[in-house]
Amino acid sequence: MALLEARGITKRFGGLLALNSVDLRVGEREILGLIGPNGAGKTTLLRVLLGIHRPDGGRVFFKGRDITPLPTWERVRLGLAATFQNPRPLRRLPVLANVLVAAYGPRGGRKGDWVKRAEARALDALEFVGIADKAKEPASVLSQGELKRLEIARALATEPELLILDEPFAGLTPVETELLAKSLARLRKGGRFGRLHSEGCAMVIIEHKLSELFKIADRVVVLNFGEVLAEGTPSQVVQDPRVIEAYLGEVPHA
């Protein structure tokens, strides 16, 4: 059984058909790359998976459960989290407080234990992404690369089983991009990172920096004009003449 499955997703905005009967499957601990030209429907699909947009047709299943009618916060509670292309931190609050907002939200339990666990999880998430040294500083002082890592720390603090990342490498330097890619590959495998424990996290990554994405993706789905154009391993996708014509123009170098 797939961890996440979208069946026949269709979404319209007035007369614009943004998604046309799109199918998508993500397995446990799988890293799925989602690529395509601007306007292909990638972000719209992400928003449907998260419950921000309701589909006009089709259903979304998570761990075998139909989550199509559920609001975003309930999907987060079930283990689905995301980061977005343009980080929107609470700039006047400390970095740690930004992560605590997420850590407190999705989980319940006895108040004392819950609060302590959330605080520990937030600190470990910051440690994992490499900005724990900025925990007490206001988010306004962070660089673009650090803001991207803050977004990921907030998502990790919800203890996701599936993490959706919208252009996580955009705006990063080559060094920051490489470090983040290694961190995501490590997160997929699972393990204990300080007190932060993961059984392994599946991911859907929307990205235009294909050389880095292809190093860590198990499988790639290509969207074009709201439809699935191709899917397969990175090596299969980059050799597909339809993908080369519609999006790549040439085979990217690893």
Side-chain angles (χ1 to χ4, degrees):
M1 181 179 67
L3 180 64
L4 177 97
E5 185 172 7
R7 303 176 188 169
I9 300 299
T10 296
K11 181 62 184 177
R12 295 181 178 85
F13 297 100
L16 174 65
L17 181 60
L19 296 171
N20 184 19
S21 197
V22 171
D23 293 333
L24 189 78
R25 297 178 75 257
V26 186
E28 292 186 4
R29 299 193 186 189
E30 180 180 28
I31 296 182
L32 177 71
L34 184 61
I35 68 172
N38 290 330
K42 303 182 298 294
T43 298
T44 300
L45 180 57
L46 177 156
R47 290 174 173 268
V48 169
L49 298 179
L50 292 172
I52 298 171
H53 294 328
R54 292 292 176 90
D56 296 304
R59 315 296 294 177
V60 179
F61 297 85
F62 186 61
K63 295 188 287 188
R65 175 179 176 180
D66 186 352
I67 62 170
T68 311
L70 298 185
T72 301
W73 67 268
E74 283 198 38
R75 300 184 193 209
V76 173
R77 177 170 284 181
L78 290 173
L80 182 62
T83 70
F84 295 93
Q85 181 179 355
N86 298 312
R88 294 182 179 178
L90 302 169
R91 292 186 175 274
R92 295 184 180 182
L93 292 183
V95 168
L96 178 59
N98 272 265
V99 182
L100 281 173
V101 169
Y104 286 151
R107 309 296 179 184
R110 291 183 299 175
K111 185 174 181 181
D113 293 341
W114 172 51
V115 170
K116 289 179 181 179
R117 186 166 176 262
E119 290 175 350
R121 194 164 65 247
L123 284 168
D124 286 334
L126 288 173
E127 184 71 36
F128 179 79
V129 300
I131 55 172
D133 59 322
K134 303 288 181 69
K136 295 182 180 180
E137 298 186 32
S140 58
V141 308
L142 298 184
S143 68
Q144 181 65 19
E146 289 168 338
L147 286 172
K148 288 277 188 178
R149 286 186 275 173
L150 174 59
E151 279 280 290
I152 292 173
R154 288 201 291 194
L156 291 180
T158 68
E159 299 181 302
E161 294 180 53
L162 174 63
L163 182 58
I164 301 176
L165 302 148
D166 190 0
E167 297 198 37
F169 303 138
L172 302 188
T173 67
V175 171
E176 289 174 327
T177 299
E178 183 178 0
L179 288 173
L180 179 55
K182 288 180 178 178
S183 294
L184 295 178
R186 187 160 56 105
L187 179 64
R188 181 262 296 275
K189 293 178 181 178
R192 185 170 293 277
F193 315 110
R195 289 158 297 184
L196 181 70
H197 182 265
S198 171
E199 297 294 338
C201 184
M203 292 171 228
V204 176
I205 304 178
I206 299 174
E207 188 53 63
H208 288 291
K209 289 186 177 180
L210 301 185
S211 59
E212 291 300 330
L213 174 64
F214 287 175
K215 289 177 184 177
I216 61 174
D218 301 300
R219 193 163 51 89
V220 177
V221 170
V222 186
L223 287 184
N224 192 37
F225 294 112
E227 298 182 349
V228 174
L229 178 66
E231 66 177 291
T233 66
S235 61
Q236 290 171 335
V237 164
V238 299
Q239 300 293 338
D240 191 312
R242 298 169 301 169
V243 179
I244 294 172
E245 180 181 2
Y247 181 47
L248 299 179
E250 61 181 14
V251 177
H253 297 288

